[in-house]
Amino acid sequence: MPLVAHTDLPTFQRLREEGQDVLSVERAAHQDIREMHIGLLNMMPDAALEATERQFFRLVGGANPIVQFHMHPFTIEGLPRGEQAAEHIARYYESFDRIREEGLDGLIVSGANVTQPHLQQEAFWQPLTEVFDWARANVTSILCSCLATHALFQYGHGVERTHLGFKRWGVYSHRVVEPLHPLVADINTRFDVPHSRYNEIFREDMEAAGLRVLVESEEAGVHLAVSPDLFRVVYFQAHPEYDTVSLLKEYKREILRHYSGEREDYPPFPEHYFSLEVGAALNDYGQALRSARRSGKAPPEFPEEFVLRHLDNTWRDTAKAVFNNWLGKIYQITDQDRRKPFMAHIDPDNPLGLA
């Protein structure tokens, strides 16, 4: 399912350079293949805005090549933006009004940074709920990532997430617990997924609300669940979209926060992410950094090249498979008119005929 570069968004060129198949509008027009329109509500902060585009575009574009995907990135009010990010959004993103008018076949909602103790106190809460209300009535399926999962679960079921008291941070082993559901068909029964969060919705909270848990980790909790109709809302608590280096970037950011005095404790390693060799090198680096901080010296050079050589990605193939299954099911039941969520014979309360 190749992406179609229907705008000059730089992410398209970046993915081409990585070797991914991205069609021009002219080439796409000469293929007798159905198109699908997938929205990306990107709420990530400025530093991660374009990386998040690439991560989700990559997963969509890596799916089955029988469909042409038109990606529609947009964002909402209530998210602080610097000048560069604001310019990027103004040039390349669509407005929610246009999205609402023209319709979508599927919608991905990213995570976001929060500053308030309760999600409903965030400035973006009201605009986000407006998107949720529209999408639940007009889009075939909504796929939520991490913070978006917590927000839509709270908005739809009135249950707030629970603060863990620590950061769930690392790459964790998961297992499929509902192998007959189409979203997890023909994927590994055990696989890794990165997590990065302070809060959690527990299995018992999800099941009490009628959700069906599909994938979970004994160590990290639920990763993948679906709404009671088994498809209209897909909930991710982890980050299958993450790049190999995403957790490394977070770790470096926390190190610099310690050096600058923004956090007093030295950050622990993301769990199950660094090899023993990398851990030893980073322990040596940490001692040198703490010494530099105490003496007022510049931080030592981070051993970037050594660390990168020893990082493994143990989740991307499975992430692509799940996205392929999600998009394939949308393809089977969505209407040709993207303003309508379903073909005429599909039951919106049981779209896959499984509930």
Side-chain angles (χ1 to χ4, degrees):
M1 299 184 183
L3 296 170
V4 177
H6 60 106
T7 71
D8 57 352
L9 180 71
T11 282
F12 290 124
Q13 182 57 33
R14 177 72 173 266
L15 294 179
R16 281 196 183 104
E17 293 168 359
E18 293 178 3
Q20 185 152 334
D21 190 15
V22 180
L23 301 183
S24 67
V25 172
E26 292 76 20
R27 181 181 167 199
H30 289 87
Q31 291 192 326
D32 187 18
I33 298 176
R34 181 180 171 184
E35 63 185 41
M36 285 175 60
H37 294 263
I38 307 298
L40 171 62
L41 172 50
N42 193 349
M43 303 189 295
M44 292 297 287
D46 292 5
L49 186 74
E50 294 184 53
T52 299
E53 284 173 17
R54 292 192 295 271
Q55 289 163 2
F56 283 113
F57 279 38
R58 188 182 294 118
L59 285 172
V60 172
N64 192 307
I66 62 170
V67 173
Q68 297 172 353
F69 284 110
H70 292 250
M71 299 297 294
H72 300 272
F74 68 106
T75 193
I76 53 176
E77 297 295 324
L79 299 163
R81 296 295 182 196
E83 181 178 353
Q84 183 175 350
E87 290 178 356
H88 180 84
I89 290 168
R91 180 173 180 180
Y92 299 115
Y93 280 33
E94 300 176 29
S95 68
F96 177 49
D97 286 342
R98 179 178 176 182
I99 294 286
R100 186 161 38 193
E101 178 182 351
E102 297 187 350
L104 294 171
D105 296 300
L107 172 63
I108 301 166
V109 186
S110 82
N113 277 2
V114 298
T115 60
Q116 303 299 322
H118 301 283
L119 292 179
Q120 65 270 27
Q121 297 171 339
E122 297 289 342
F124 63 75
W125 176 259
Q126 182 61 35
L128 178 59
T129 60
E130 291 177 8
V131 174
F132 284 156
D133 286 339
W134 171 80
R136 287 194 293 187
N138 296 280
V139 178
T140 306
S141 185
I142 310 167
L143 189 151
C144 297
S145 174
C146 201
L147 180 282
T149 283
H150 296 168
L152 183 49
F153 185 77
Q154 177 178 335
Y155 183 59
H157 301 283
V159 180
E160 289 198 58
R161 59 191 186 163
T162 300
H163 196 285
L164 293 170
F166 62 93
K167 187 175 185 178
R168 177 80 68 201
W169 193 28
V171 179
Y172 301 92
S173 177
H174 294 69
R175 63 184 179 89
V176 175
V177 296
E178 287 282 352
L180 298 181
H181 193 282
L183 282 180
V184 292
D186 299 321
I187 70 171
N188 294 340
T189 57
R190 187 172 292 276
F191 55 91
D192 292 338
V193 193
H195 287 250
S196 181
R197 53 188 170 81
Y198 289 95
N199 300 274
E200 184 163 346
I201 302 172
F202 298 106
R203 170 190 261 271
E204 51 266 32
D205 294 327
M206 292 185 174
E207 291 182 335
L211 274 63
R212 182 76 60 86
V213 174
L214 305 183
V215 176
E216 67 179 349
S217 165
E218 293 181 1
E219 189 174 2
V222 174
H223 160 47
L224 171 58
V226 290
S227 49
D229 56 69
L230 302 183
F231 192 65
R232 297 297 306 278
V233 184
V234 177
Y235 297 96
F236 285 166
Q237 264 200 130
H239 289 281
E241 79 281 3
Y242 266 12
D243 294 325
T244 307
V245 298
S246 295
L247 288 173
L248 175 62
K249 290 181 178 180
E250 289 187 34
Y251 179 68
K252 289 175 62 180
R253 186 165 61 247
E254 293 305 309
I255 287 173
L256 293 177
R257 289 184 65 231
H258 172 76
Y259 176 80
S260 67
E262 292 180 52
R263 66 176 288 170
E264 188 56 36
D265 65 311
Y266 195 81
F269 293 154
E271 296 184 294
H272 318 301
Y273 180 58
F274 295 135
S275 66
L276 293 176
E277 295 85 355
V278 169
L282 291 178
N283 279 332
D284 291 341
Y285 173 81
Q287 292 180 8
L289 184 76
R290 289 190 290 268
S291 176
R293 182 190 182 206
R294 288 191 299 268
S295 59
K297 295 180 180 179
E301 183 178 357
F302 188 84
E304 186 95 10
E305 291 187 9
F306 175 79
V307 174
L308 290 175
R309 288 198 303 269
H310 291 82
L311 289 183
D312 293 316
N313 188 307
T314 57
W315 59 88
R316 180 166 294 164
D317 286 349
T318 305
K320 286 182 177 179
V322 172
F323 264 73
N324 186 50
N325 290 340
W326 178 63
L327 294 163
K329 285 300 171 186
I330 292 176
Y331 177 85
Q332 292 173 13
I333 61 178
T334 192
D335 197 273
Q336 290 267 11
D337 182 349
R338 57 178 159 134
R339 294 169 297 180
K340 300 177 181 179
F342 298 109
M343 299 176 186
H345 67 282
I346 298 296
D347 179 359
D349 296 322
N350 187 19
L352 300 184
L354 300 172

